[in-house]
Amino acid sequence: MAKRDFYDILGVSKTAQDAELKRAYRKLAMQYHPDRNPGNNEAGVRFREVNEAYEALRDPQKRAAYDQFGHQAFEQGMGGGGRAGGFDFTSFADVFDDLFGDFMGGNGGQAGSGRRGSTTRGADLRYNLTITLEDAFTGKRAQIRVPTSVACDDCNGSGSEGGSDPAVCPMCRGAGRVRSQQGFFTVERTCPTCQGTGRVIRDPCTGCNGSGRTQKEKTLAVNVPSGVEDGTRIRLSGEGEAGLRGGHAGDLYIFVTVAPHRLFQREDRNIFCRVPIPMTTAALGGNVEVPTIEGGRLRVNIPDGTQTGKQIRLRGKGMSELQASARGDMFIEVVVETPVNLTKRQQELLREFDEASGQTNNHHPESEGFFAKVKELWDELRD
């Protein structure tokens, strides 16, 4: 009986891309899976056909050979290493990884990395760095000390005494996984001898007990850019934990916290500062000196009749902007301070002022407007 065309089996055209092939394969494999069709021999045959077709078409070299020679490309003597009279495809476990790897937490990819070598990438690390608002304005080069795992000096990270290479695992022969047959299924699991690495340490290094890394505290320099904001994350590539047995190191992530300032409050690129002024300065006008984030002073003009809450804008005196030369603005929020601990003479003068103010109604427009509205409200309630 002639074998069916692989494209027809999957229901795709000969120009189908990889994503379309995978979608078709997943759908059919789910449909004809033996667990969903117990005792259905026809479903079992279709299931094997679907796997055979996908295994051939997902590989670019096999697909090119199939497109040119058809099924003969995989017969004995044509495809190289095939089963006598049939197609030599990888066991279903490999195809199963490709189909269900996304749903199994990435285990398929993890095992695949074991087949490629004995190294494991190191873990990423986190470091919390607290800086001042002034440091955020100017930028800073900070020295930090990070406890981490580093490559063992005795074995150069290999895990073997003297730095020799690990040996191929005798159980899995370097694959990192072992297979067992259950019916017509091939079940694959991580090799218990090498834990999926594909290599074994026959003579472990005494300095690191075969892990290829030791604990150490590293000193690193971190460049904090000007204009950095609270919560910014800085990545230092390769400065994380050393990989297992010479694997690539992880990354170090610096999480920046900008400490609260005793005078300034920051909102994005702008700075706010509450400045108390005497009642006389608010009434008569004048000048006050205010601090700036760069450590200088500015003389600010206070108009006469200034009320509490008035904001005075100082352009270009705010925070630095990240990766830019521009700066935000600084806002002075005026707080009019009521005098305390008055002398008798000062009290007499204020009383005289109050009596003189009673003859006119334009010295306190805000309070007079407020109480006028209150009077209207009370009159409405009485009616």
Side-chain angles (χ1 to χ4, degrees):
M1 180 177 177
K3 297 187 67 172
R4 294 178 60 197
D5 182 80
F6 286 158
Y7 292 101
D8 290 342
I9 291 174
L10 295 179
V12 298
S13 67
K14 291 188 176 182
T15 59
Q17 301 298 313
D18 291 344
E20 185 179 354
L21 285 173
K22 180 174 286 189
R23 284 195 300 269
Y25 170 55
R26 286 181 172 179
K27 179 180 178 181
L28 294 171
M30 289 289 189
Q31 180 180 350
Y32 295 112
H33 195 284
D35 288 348
R36 292 191 172 188
N37 302 273
N40 189 336
N41 293 331
E42 183 180 353
V45 173
R46 294 296 303 274
F47 186 65
R48 287 191 290 273
E49 282 183 343
V50 168
N51 280 297
E52 183 179 1
Y54 180 64
E55 174 61 25
L57 299 182
R58 71 170 182 163
D59 184 281
Q61 294 182 347
K62 291 181 181 179
R63 183 174 180 178
Y66 178 75
D67 289 343
Q68 184 174 0
F69 300 108
H71 292 296
Q72 292 182 356
F74 308 111
E75 298 293 338
Q76 185 78 1
M78 286 289 292
R83 270 200 310 252
F87 173 70
D88 180 26
F89 59 88
T90 306
S91 73
F92 172 65
D94 287 341
V95 183
F96 187 85
D97 280 347
D98 185 76
L99 174 59
F100 298 104
D102 294 339
F103 304 105
M104 301 295 288
N107 291 336
Q110 198 171 43
S113 64
R115 286 194 301 269
R116 288 189 293 270
S118 62
T119 63
T120 303
R121 182 182 183 275
D124 294 334
L125 299 178
R126 170 175 177 155
Y127 185 91
N128 297 324
L129 177 64
T130 300
I131 63 174
T132 65
L133 188 62
E134 288 85 356
D135 292 335
F137 170 75
T138 61
K140 179 180 182 179
R141 184 175 176 84
Q143 295 285 333
I144 63 173
R145 299 181 67 85
V146 182
T148 183
S149 295
V150 298
C152 176
D153 294 332
D154 295 340
C155 64
N156 296 321
S158 69
S160 296
E161 191 68 36
S164 59
D165 292 333
V168 175
C169 176
M171 175 169 284
C172 66
R173 298 181 181 179
R177 299 187 293 185
V178 292
R179 297 167 181 170
S180 59
Q181 196 75 24
Q182 295 183 2
F184 80 92
F185 283 109
T186 299
V187 178
E188 188 171 82
R189 60 190 176 91
T190 300
C191 176
T193 301
C194 64
Q195 286 75 49
T197 64
R199 300 290 186 271
V200 291
I201 304 294
R202 292 181 175 175
D203 190 12
C205 171
T206 56
C208 63
N209 295 322
S211 68
R213 55 189 182 184
T214 57
Q215 293 296 316
K216 187 178 179 181
E217 190 174 64
K218 291 197 300 186
T219 300
L220 300 171
V222 180
N223 289 318
V224 181
S226 61
V228 68
E229 296 186 17
D230 188 74
T232 297
R233 186 181 70 173
I234 301 173
R235 174 174 171 262
L236 299 183
S237 179
E239 295 296 350
E241 193 174 66
L244 185 65
R245 297 174 184 171
H248 293 294
D251 299 330
L252 174 63
Y253 291 91
I254 310 295
F255 285 78
V256 178
T257 298
V258 181
H261 198 275
R262 54 188 173 183
L263 293 178
F264 303 118
Q265 291 80 44
R266 178 185 183 181
E267 291 185 10
D268 296 328
R269 53 188 295 223
N270 297 325
I271 292 176
F272 293 81
C273 182
R274 297 178 76 249
V275 179
I277 63 173
M279 181 182 66
T280 52
T281 304
L284 303 175
N287 295 304
V288 295
E289 279 191 342
V290 297
T292 61
I293 186 62
E294 60 262 46
R297 303 180 184 182
L298 281 178
R299 185 169 292 275
V300 179
N301 179 57
I302 304 296
D304 57 354
T306 295
Q307 304 295 318
T308 291
K310 178 179 176 61
Q311 287 188 346
I312 301 173
R313 184 176 187 175
L314 305 178
R315 296 184 180 276
K317 294 299 180 182
M319 284 295 295
S320 306
E321 192 169 343
L322 188 64
Q323 297 180 344
S325 58
R327 287 180 59 178
D329 300 329
M330 179 175 177
F331 291 86
I332 302 300
E333 183 178 343
V334 174
V335 179
V336 180
E337 188 175 20
T338 302
V340 297
N341 302 322
L342 299 177
T343 65
K344 288 185 177 181
R345 177 55 183 159
Q346 290 170 332
Q347 292 176 3
E348 290 173 359
L349 291 172
L350 285 178
R351 289 192 183 97
E352 291 176 9
F353 172 77
D354 185 53
E355 291 172 359
S357 299
Q359 300 174 5
T360 60
N361 59 0
N362 60 353
H363 295 306
H364 306 92
E366 188 171 341
S367 61
E368 289 171 1
F370 172 77
F371 287 111
K373 294 178 183 178
V374 171
K375 184 177 182 302
E376 292 176 0
L377 177 62
W378 287 342
D379 290 341
E380 292 173 0
L381 293 175
R382 281 197 297 265
D383 293 341

